[in-house]
Amino acid sequence: MKDKIEQELLALMEPRRMRFDLTEKEIRGGLDLVRSGFVNSMEFVELIAELEKKTGLRIDYEEALSDQKFTTFTGIVKAFEIVAR
């Protein structure tokens, strides 16, 4: 399931990643998507909502937001992995 989540997330971020001229490695690293300006807070919520639609999973926002790394690629994947179990 982790691979599917990662692939869906990368696909959703692809147009923006290309516009920002970032590599997948940079995205998958510790880049904070919101603090870096890659997305604003509303775009982040839309990204999560779209990922929920594509995966059929609903994350627990309260739990996810308690993790300071939630706004990173790894943090998002982790939040979705938790509910996929």
Side-chain angles (χ1 to χ4, degrees):
M1 185 60 151
K2 179 181 178 184
D3 289 339
K4 179 182 179 187
I5 294 166
E6 288 180 348
Q7 292 309 311
E8 292 289 352
L9 183 54
L10 284 171
L12 289 170
M13 295 189 323
E14 182 68 11
R16 185 171 292 269
R17 183 184 72 76
M18 298 298 286
R19 224 178 4 240
F20 277 76
D21 195 29
L22 295 171
T23 65
E24 280 189 21
K25 185 177 181 180
E26 289 170 311
I27 293 292
R28 289 175 179 260
L31 178 71
D32 187 301
L33 303 173
V34 176
R35 289 189 182 124
S36 70
F38 185 76
V39 293
N40 64 37
S41 56
M42 186 63 178
E43 291 166 331
F44 183 79
V45 170
E46 290 170 354
L47 176 67
I48 299 302
E50 189 63 31
L51 190 56
E52 285 179 325
K53 259 196 248 180
K54 293 206 174 270
T55 62
L57 300 170
R58 295 276 181 236
I59 64 166
D60 179 341
Y61 280 89
E62 189 173 330
E63 184 179 329
L65 289 170
S66 69
D67 181 351
Q68 291 182 338
K69 294 185 180 192
F70 176 53
T71 53
T72 67
F73 181 89
T74 305
I76 296 169
V77 172
K78 179 181 171 187
F80 276 84
E81 278 185 304
I82 289 170
V83 297
R85 294 181 189 152

